[in-house]
Amino acid sequence: VQLKEKGYIPTNPYTHIIKSGTISCKAGRYYVSVLIEQKEFAKPDLIDFGVGIDLGIKDFAICSNGKVCKNINKSSQIRKLEKKLKREQRSLSRKYENYKKHNKNMKGEATRQNIQKQKLKVQKLHQRLDNIRTDYINKVISELVKTKPMWITIEDLNVKGMMKNRHLSKAIAQQKFFEFRTKLLAKCNEYGIELRVVDRFYPSSKTCHNCGCVKPDLKLSDRTYCCDECGYTEDRDFNASLNLRDCQTYKIV
């Protein structure tokens, strides 16, 4: 079978054994998923330092090493595709209404065929947006893991509870926090990195990294953390990532 991607599937029977393959169709394209068993490779030597990651909506991830991963959903590419998706969905809705009106004559059959064509357009746009977001997550995780830290600390976010906020539910769903955690765990196991998860009630944003003082009246609109005790001033999300990195109460997954 001719494949578009050449060299992706290993052919050496001594190092890789092909177990099975599954063919699927999504948005008019066919994909093959191959299950391969490979021998374990030597894990790299890790450097004695840790990384804390604070996930958010304004920026996707703020790391304690100073790296800031922007929100890909705010880019012009995503916004153009979402605008185009909105137009195509409106067109699909109009075609459905026309089909209900003319489903008893020959024009109704032509409308039904146009509906299938329009559905494929909408599916392709959804697939395109999903591919861009997934690719961005993969690149962020790859850059984090390649620094070879001893441990990576993230927060146990209550995504289900956050989705109940109707003003932020769409933005939270587009960030794919659960997919990020799942893929980060798989990559950490591959490299031998310890993945630490801090309890969701830990006040990482409200705690001063310099003196440990907790500021309970910190609002979500306060983007800069100013400590009333020691005068420590830092970006709110970066301060949270430092607290997550140095947190001593965590669970290893």
Side-chain angles (χ1 to χ4, degrees):
V1 179
Q2 292 184 350
L3 297 177
K4 181 179 179 181
E5 294 86 357
K6 183 180 179 182
Y8 276 50
I9 301 177
T11 57
N12 189 350
Y14 297 101
T15 58
H16 300 82
I17 302 174
I18 298 177
K19 293 291 187 179
S20 64
T22 304
I23 298 175
S24 59
C25 180
K26 192 173 183 181
R29 289 189 177 185
Y30 288 88
Y31 300 88
V32 57
S33 177
V34 183
L35 180 63
I36 300 176
E37 180 182 341
Q38 65 175 4
K39 295 182 179 179
E40 293 186 2
F41 61 92
K43 296 181 180 179
D45 296 330
L46 304 178
I47 306 174
D48 189 15
F49 75 100
V51 176
I53 303 175
D54 181 65
L55 301 176
I57 298 177
K58 180 183 177 183
D59 294 312
F60 176 68
I62 296 89
C63 305
S64 59
N65 56 7
K67 180 176 177 57
V68 178
C69 303
K70 301 296 182 181
N71 187 350
I72 189 67
N73 298 297
K74 294 182 180 180
S75 63
S76 59
Q77 182 185 19
I78 293 289
R79 287 181 175 178
K80 286 179 181 178
L81 287 173
E82 287 184 339
K83 190 176 181 180
K84 185 177 180 181
L85 176 62
K86 188 183 294 185
R87 290 197 300 265
E88 298 296 344
Q89 285 176 330
R90 287 174 180 170
S91 178
L92 178 61
S93 178
R94 287 195 297 267
K95 285 180 170 58
Y96 268 120
E97 294 299 324
N98 292 335
Y99 180 69
K100 291 179 182 178
K101 294 178 182 178
H102 309 97
N103 59 351
K104 294 182 179 180
N105 51 33
M106 294 300 294
K107 188 177 180 182
E109 180 64 23
T111 306
R112 187 182 64 81
Q113 295 178 359
N114 290 335
I115 286 175
Q116 298 302 321
K117 295 178 183 177
Q118 189 64 28
K119 282 178 68 175
L120 185 60
K121 288 183 180 179
V122 174
Q123 289 173 358
K124 286 183 177 180
L125 285 172
H126 277 295
Q127 178 75 353
R128 176 64 177 158
L129 287 167
D130 185 68
N131 289 342
I132 292 174
R133 291 169 180 143
T134 302
D135 180 67
Y136 182 72
I137 289 175
N138 293 338
K139 288 179 178 177
V140 169
I141 293 174
S142 180
E143 290 182 10
L144 287 170
V145 172
K146 284 181 179 178
T147 57
K148 301 177 183 179
M150 290 288 291
W151 72 88
I152 296 177
T153 309
I154 59 175
E155 193 173 4
D156 184 21
L157 296 175
N158 183 16
V159 180
K160 185 176 180 180
M162 294 164 65
M163 290 289 290
K164 293 180 181 179
N165 186 339
R166 61 187 181 90
H167 300 288
L168 300 175
S169 58
K170 181 181 178 181
I172 293 169
Q174 290 176 345
Q175 294 291 70
K176 294 188 171 186
F177 291 140
F178 181 77
E179 183 177 347
F180 174 81
R181 175 174 169 173
T182 304
K183 292 187 174 182
L184 180 62
L185 175 61
K187 208 69 175 177
C188 288
N189 292 335
E190 181 180 343
Y191 277 71
I193 301 173
E194 186 180 88
L195 181 60
R196 302 176 178 178
V197 178
V198 178
D199 187 76
R200 64 185 59 172
F201 298 107
Y202 174 71
S204 59
S205 299
K206 299 180 179 181
T207 304
C208 176
H209 179 257
N210 188 35
C211 65
C213 179
V214 179
K215 192 175 182 179
D217 58 343
L218 185 69
K219 300 179 182 178
L220 188 62
S221 58
D222 299 334
R223 304 314 305 173
T224 303
Y225 184 89
C226 299
C227 183
D228 299 331
E229 298 293 331
C230 64
Y232 175 77
T233 303
E234 189 55 82
D235 180 75
R236 171 199 180 102
D237 298 327
F238 183 66
N239 177 68
S241 65
L242 293 174
N243 289 327
L244 289 172
R245 181 195 64 185
D246 301 334
C247 182
Q248 298 299 321
T249 56
Y250 55 84
K251 178 179 67 175
I252 299 176
V253 295

